[in-house]
Amino acid sequence: MKKITIAIDGHSSCGKSTMAKDLAREVGYVYVDTGAMYRSVTLFALRNGLFEGDTICEEALRRRMPEINISFRYNPETGRPDTYLNGELVEQEIRSMEVSSHVSPIATLAFVREAMVAQQQQMGREGGVVMDGRDIGTVVFPHAELKVFVTASPEVRARRRYDELQAKGMPADYNDILKNVQERDYIDSHREVSPLRQADDALLLDNSHMTIAEQKQWLLERFREKCS
């Protein structure tokens, strides 16, 4: 059976990564979390003092982009890939509120997106890949055989993010998270480079009132339809 490319786009904290990871594991495909890649660049910038307040020092980051190597390694304990920044496991750190509140400005930079898209296209050049992010179906893989655009209400997404952080024992405030979700929606949809939008041939999934199991079944059925 020919292996296809699956592109899953959508708003922040709407469960794209969970859906994509589960599908990849179910059908034996490679999963790539593109959001984690931009979060890793953000973590690098924060660690190296490349922000002045909330403003990114663009030229300084541009010069240091060649130093940033992002990779994914399968974790047999979780059954999912973990994110590594220059060989260091950063899966937990990149999910913090500090990174969340700084990632959108990083993701709007053309030179950052160009570098990340090149890496993503390299990862998926042979097919058999599930990739999620903001511009996978529109920019990275415009010819993907299966495209899905996922959304949910800001309030539902903020609650999910809050519960996720609480479960990990990380500090969280629901109102702060809701504000962050709304700000990221605006930035992601209005940036000049690769704005978040639903591809014309993408299937829309509003999962505001769906369980993870229901989402998983819906996506698996769409995959089987494309491969039949």
Side-chain angles (χ1 to χ4, degrees), residues 16 18 38 69 90 93 99 142 157 196 222:
K16 300 186 305 296
T18 299
Y38 291 102
N69 178 52
V90 293
E93 280 190 86
V99 170
R157 289 184 281 133
L196 172 65
R222 303 294 84 73

Side-chain angles (χ1 to χ4, degrees), residues 5 27 37 45 50 58 62 86 89 102 153 156 169 184 198:
T5 298
V27 303
M37 297 175 74
L50 302 183
E58 292 186 26
R62 187 195 302 270
N86 296 330
L89 176 62
H102 288 85
S153 72
V156 166
R184 289 184 65 188
Q198 181 181 345

Side-chain angles (χ1 to χ4, degrees), residues 14-60:
C14 63
K16 300 186 305 296
S17 295
T18 299
M19 291 177 63
K21 289 173 184 175
D22 285 347
L23 179 64
R25 183 172 53 195
E26 183 80 18
V27 303
Y29 277 24
V30 174
Y31 166 72
V32 178
D33 181 353
T34 62
M37 297 175 74
Y38 291 102
R39 285 175 173 271
S40 297
V41 175
T42 304
L43 179 62
F44 178 90
L46 287 166
R47 285 179 170 183
N48 288 276
L50 302 183
F51 279 93
E52 292 181 355
D54 290 332
T55 304
I56 183 67
C57 303
E58 292 186 26
E59 285 308 311

Side-chain angles (χ1 to χ4, degrees), residues 1-219:
M1 182 184 295
K2 177 182 179 293
K3 289 189 174 183
I4 67 172
T5 298
I6 302 167
I8 302 178
D9 291 310
H11 294 98
S12 65
S13 302
C14 63
K16 300 186 305 296
S17 295
T18 299
M19 291 177 63
K21 289 173 184 175
D22 285 347
L23 179 64
R25 183 172 53 195
E26 183 80 18
V27 303
Y29 277 24
V30 174
Y31 166 72
V32 178
D33 181 353
T34 62
M37 297 175 74
Y38 291 102
R39 285 175 173 271
S40 297
V41 175
T42 304
L43 179 62
F44 178 90
L46 287 166
R47 285 179 170 183
N48 288 276
L50 302 183
F51 279 93
E52 292 181 355
D54 290 332
T55 304
I56 183 67
C57 303
E58 292 186 26
E59 285 308 311
L61 178 59
R62 187 195 302 270
R63 290 194 300 270
R64 301 196 64 175
M65 282 301 294
E67 301 175 32
I68 301 175
N69 178 52
I70 301 164
S71 58
F72 297 92
R73 301 179 194 172
Y74 182 75
N75 184 332
E77 293 184 4
T78 63
R80 294 176 173 177
D82 286 333
T83 310
Y84 286 76
L85 172 61
N86 296 330
E88 176 193 352
L89 176 62
V90 293
E91 188 65 33
Q92 285 285 90
E93 280 190 86
I94 62 173
R95 309 298 174 183
S96 69
M97 273 303 295
E98 182 182 24
V99 170
S100 292
S101 62
H102 288 85
V103 66
S104 287
I106 291 283
T108 63
L109 299 175
F111 65 88
V112 172
R113 299 203 71 83
E114 182 179 347
M116 294 300 101
V117 167
Q119 288 190 36
Q120 292 155 14
Q121 290 175 332
Q122 180 68 15
M123 293 175 186
R125 69 187 186 282
E126 300 297 334
V129 65
V130 184
M131 197 172 290
D132 75 280
R134 301 289 193 280
D135 61 353
I136 311 307
T138 54
V139 175
V140 183
F141 294 120
H143 302 298
E145 291 89 342
L146 175 58
K147 300 180 186 179
V148 177
F149 189 89
V150 190
T151 190
S153 72
E155 292 77 14
V156 166
R157 289 184 281 133
R159 174 58 60 182
R160 289 173 180 169
R161 184 75 178 138
Y162 174 83
D163 291 343
E164 177 186 359
L165 292 172
Q166 287 282 290
K168 293 178 179 178
M170 301 173 71
D173 179 274
Y174 172 79
N175 290 325
D176 288 345
I177 295 172
L178 178 58
K179 181 180 178 183
N180 175 250
V181 165
Q182 293 169 332
E183 289 175 345
R184 289 184 65 188
D185 283 354
Y186 183 85
I187 293 172
D188 290 342
S189 300
H190 290 80
R191 66 188 179 212
E192 291 185 13
V193 181
S194 304
L196 172 65
R197 66 176 182 84
Q198 181 181 345
D200 293 338
D201 54 347
L203 303 174
L204 178 64
L205 174 64
D206 185 331
N207 64 13
S208 296
H209 305 292
M210 295 176 71
T211 65
I212 291 177
E214 288 171 339
Q215 297 170 55
K216 180 178 179 179
Q217 184 61 32
W218 182 92
L219 187 57

